[in-house]
């Protein structure tokens, strides 16, 4: 007579026998301590065993009996059931790795998966978890977890499928203006969402490209943009942030209080500070950083055209669009004298910086010299032994009067 065991699983096996003459056969399964786990009486030539423990050695004894219940020579078969897994899962999924967990009974477990067409293996794992590394971000993987018994025979595997987390390689901003900026990124993802605060929470919606233009920003304002990648399963990967200060802006640039040697420049807008630059006698001048809304320029020359360039800066030191204001300083007189005085006339002389000068005096209703481009004017038609007050007024190139000087002549 002979016997064999087939179909070994984690919980059972099939025993077959042939040859010999018997009325029935008892099939007894004992564990390593000699304790009978089960005994069945069979009249056929096979028996299916169930209820065995995984990865456990057993001895199967086949004992034939005749009709008189006399015992024949027994046959023994030794087996070891297969290992088994009761559960398998994945956790701690990142852009480059994942942890596989399992429970069950086995001598060891082997985890296999495919990366870029190459089969990867964990080797023999005697614990209940394994961390796979070297994954590509936003990629689908199927991990096959196979239990083995102490004889190195594989049991029924379990599969766990995941999508690795999306990732961002670089993030940056560009083309920042007073009201907009562009977010840029690279990486591996299904889509990206950009979020920021601007009078409430804002978001870009799902962006499948590599950039997003943000609009409706306020000038000279700091914004923090959070860029979050998502994989094909809609799971968020690690976010990255970019802080941007929008470009400052100036408005309503004006000049006032213009004198022969100075002027006041005023402005409004949104900025961290403003610098004023101009040229005086071929030498570049600057105001330094002005955090207010005005700046008083000094040291100007009379009757001279100046162009002032006002540039706003944000807190990052980024310059906004400059604005210019042009003015001509007031005309000035340095001295006024009279000479060559006769019974009927006198000559007035002056120095200074001006475009022209007008001399006025009172003589039978008032007199005027008209525009005088030179440095003197001869007055005629005066009365003898009469005191006259002459007012000499300089004008700049814009026709704006400077400070007048008076002189009395008798």
């Amino acid at each position: 007579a002979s016997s064999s065991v087939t179909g070994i699983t984690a919980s059972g096996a099939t025993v077959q026998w042939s040859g010999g003459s018997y009325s029935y056969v008892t099939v007894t399964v004992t564990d390593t301590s000699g304790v009978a786990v089960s005994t069945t009486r069979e009249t056929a030539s096979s028996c299916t065993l169930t209820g065995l423990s995984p990865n456990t050695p057993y001895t199967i004894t086949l004992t034939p009996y005749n009709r008189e219940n006399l015992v024949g020579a027994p046959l023994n078969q030794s087996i070891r059931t297969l290992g088994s897994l009761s559960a398998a899962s994945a956790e701690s999924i990142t852009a480059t790795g994942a942890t596989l967990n399992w429970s069950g009974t086995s001598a060891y477990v082997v985890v296999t998966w495919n990366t870029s067409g190459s089969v990867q293996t964990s080797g023999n794992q005697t614990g209940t978890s394994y961390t796979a590394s070297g994954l590509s971000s936003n990629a689908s993987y199927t991990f096959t977890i196979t239990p083995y018994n102490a004889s190195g025979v594989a049991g029924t595997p379990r599969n766990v499928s995941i999508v690795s987390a999306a990732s961002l390689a670089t993030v940056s901003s560009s083309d920042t203006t007073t009201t907009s900026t562009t977010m840029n990124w690279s990486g591996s993802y299904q889509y990206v969402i950009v979020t920021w605060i601007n009078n409430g929470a804002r978001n870009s919606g799902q962006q499948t490209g590599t950039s997003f233009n943000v609009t409706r920003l306020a000038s000279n304002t700091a914004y923090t943009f959070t860029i979050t990648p998502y994989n094909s399963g809609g799971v968020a990967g690690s976010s990255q942030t970019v802080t941007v200060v929008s470009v400052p802006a100036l408005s309503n640039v004006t000049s006032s209080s213009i004198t022969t040697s100075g002027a006041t420049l005023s402005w409004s807008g949104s900025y961290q500070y403003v610098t004023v630059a101009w040229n005086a006698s071929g030498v570049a001048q600057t105001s330094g950083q002005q955090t207010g809304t005005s700046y008083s320029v000094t040291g100007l020359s009379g009757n001279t055209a100046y162009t002032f360039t006002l540039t706003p800066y944000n807190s990052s030191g980024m310059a906004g669009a400059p604005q210019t204001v042009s003015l001509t300083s007031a005309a000035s007189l340095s001295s006024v004298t009279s000479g060559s005085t006769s019974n009927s006339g006198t000559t007035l002389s002056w120095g200074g910086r001006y475009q022209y000068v007008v001399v006025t005096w009172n003589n039978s209703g008032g007199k005027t010299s008209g525009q005088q481009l030179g440095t003197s004017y001869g007055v005629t038609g005066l009365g003898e032994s009469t005191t006259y007050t002459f007012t000499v007024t300089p004008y700049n190139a814009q026709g704006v009067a400077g400070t007048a000087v008076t002189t009395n002549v008798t």
Side-chain angles (χ1 to χ4, degrees):
S2 63
S3 65
S4 63
V5 181
T6 61
I8 300 173
T9 67
S11 60
T14 297
V15 185
Q16 298 172 324
W17 56 87
S18 62
S21 178
Y22 55 87
S23 177
Y24 64 91
V25 171
T26 60
V27 181
T28 302
V29 180
T30 57
D31 60 21
T32 55
S33 62
V35 176
V37 175
S38 66
T39 300
T40 61
R41 178 174 172 167
E42 303 290 341
T43 58
S45 59
S46 67
C47 173
T48 299
L49 306 175
T50 60
L52 304 184
S53 297
N55 187 37
T56 303
Y58 293 97
T59 298
I60 303 171
T61 302
L62 304 176
T63 305
Y65 290 81
N66 65 14
R67 291 180 181 179
E68 286 75 27
N69 288 327
L70 297 176
V71 179
L75 295 175
N76 291 324
Q77 288 282 349
S78 294
I79 69 166
R80 180 181 286 272
T81 52
L82 302 182
S84 71
L85 295 176
S86 56
S89 62
E91 66 178 6
S92 303
I93 301 170
T94 68
T96 59
T99 296
L100 288 305
N101 304 302
W102 57 83
S103 59
T105 304
S106 61
Y108 60 89
V109 162
V110 175
V111 183
T112 58
W113 69 99
N114 190 296
T115 299
S116 302
S118 177
V119 176
Q120 309 295 319
T121 180
S122 66
N124 296 350
Q125 302 297 313
T126 57
T128 58
S129 66
Y130 173 73
T131 298
S133 60
L135 306 184
S136 298
S137 55
N138 188 39
S140 297
Y141 293 91
T142 296
F143 295 90
T144 299
I145 306 171
T146 305
Y148 288 79
N149 65 14
S151 300
V153 180
T156 302
R158 284 180 176 261
N159 291 330
V160 177
S161 294
I162 69 163
V163 178
S164 56
S167 67
L168 293 174
T170 61
V171 294
S172 63
S173 63
S174 63
D175 303 322
T176 301
T177 69
T178 56
T179 59
S180 67
T181 189
T182 296
M183 294 292 108
N184 307 293
W185 57 82
S186 63
S188 182
Y189 49 83
Q190 193 71 12
Y191 60 89
V192 163
I193 294 179
V194 182
T195 58
W196 68 100
I197 301 298
N198 184 11
N199 296 321
R202 308 291 179 186
N203 77 83
S204 64
Q206 296 181 2
Q207 302 296 313
T208 57
T210 59
S211 65
F212 174 71
N213 183 246
V214 185
T215 59
R216 299 182 180 180
L217 303 181
S219 59
N220 188 44
T221 302
Y223 295 91
T224 297
F225 298 91
T226 300
I227 304 172
T228 305
Y230 290 79
N231 65 13
S232 58
V235 179
S238 297
S239 300
Q240 294 195 40
T241 59
V242 177
T243 298
V244 172
V245 181
S246 54
V247 174
L250 284 180
S251 57
N252 303 318
V253 177
T254 60
S255 61
S256 62
S257 304
I258 301 169
T259 67
T260 57
S261 60
T264 296
L265 306 178
S266 303
W267 58 83
S268 61
S270 181
Y271 49 84
Q272 192 72 12
Y273 61 88
V274 168
T275 62
V276 182
W278 70 99
N279 190 293
S281 301
V283 179
Q285 308 291 325
T286 182
S287 66
Q289 296 180 3
Q290 303 297 312
T291 57
T293 59
S294 65
Y295 175 70
S296 294
V297 183
T298 59
L300 303 184
S301 299
N303 187 41
T304 301
Y306 293 92
T307 296
F308 298 90
T309 300
L310 289 76
T311 305
Y313 291 82
N314 65 16
S315 57
S316 297
M318 178 186 293
Q323 293 198 34
T324 60
V325 59
S326 296
L327 60 86
T328 300
S329 56
S332 64
L333 293 175
S334 57
S335 63
V336 175
T337 60
S338 63
S340 303
T341 303
S342 66
N343 292 334
S344 60
T346 190
T347 297
L348 301 175
S349 302
W350 54 81
R353 295 181 66 88
Y354 49 84
Q355 191 72 13
Y356 60 89
V357 165
V358 174
V359 181
T360 58
W361 68 96
N362 192 305
N363 185 6
S364 301
K367 300 291 184 179
T368 181
S369 66
Q371 296 180 2
Q372 302 298 312
L373 304 179
T375 59
S376 65
Y377 175 68
V379 183
T380 59
L382 302 182
E384 185 177 354
S385 300
T386 303
T387 299
Y388 294 89
T389 298
F390 296 91
T391 300
V392 184
T393 304
Y395 290 80
N396 66 12
Q398 307 301 317
V400 178
T403 302
V405 176
T406 61
T407 184
N408 295 322
V409 176
T410 302

